[in-house]
Amino acid sequence: MGGILASIPLTSFLAILWMYGENKDVTPIIALSKDIFWLVIPSLVFFLALPYLLSRGVNFFLSMTVATGIMIGCYYLAITIMKKF
């Protein structure tokens, strides 16, 4: 149940509602929705790396640091790719 609750994109949902409420223009909402979709993928790497490292006996704080570093690297890669398209 906690996983389901944590997976709800509440911030994105509220931002989209707020944007529409302010100017009723769907063009920036389309762009935001596409960007959010493509940037969710690099964030998922964190949730693969962290349990992998922890299951291998790596210290919690080191696992968090390494998994966060990997995620940041994936964000950088995704943003670089997105700029080309």
Side-chain angles (χ1 to χ4, degrees):
M1 189 63 165
I4 291 172
L5 185 60
S7 71
I8 296 171
L10 185 58
T11 304
S12 301
F13 186 79
L14 292 173
I16 289 168
L17 285 174
W18 190 304
M19 288 172 65
Y20 185 76
E22 282 187 348
N23 58 22
K24 306 291 190 263
D25 182 12
V26 297
T27 304
I29 294 171
I30 292 168
L32 177 64
S33 297
K34 288 179 180 179
D35 289 345
I36 289 170
F37 174 80
W38 289 111
L39 290 174
V40 163
I41 296 168
S43 70
L44 295 177
V45 174
F46 173 85
F47 296 105
L48 294 173
L50 182 62
Y52 175 80
L53 294 166
L54 291 172
S55 69
R56 299 293 183 259
V58 178
N59 172 283
F60 173 77
F61 291 106
L62 180 57
S63 295
M64 286 290 290
T65 302
V66 170
T68 301
I70 292 169
M71 179 184 64
I72 290 169
C74 288
Y75 271 120
Y76 177 77
L77 180 63
I79 291 168
T80 302
I81 291 169
M82 287 171 64
K83 284 181 180 179
K84 292 183 180 184
F85 293 102

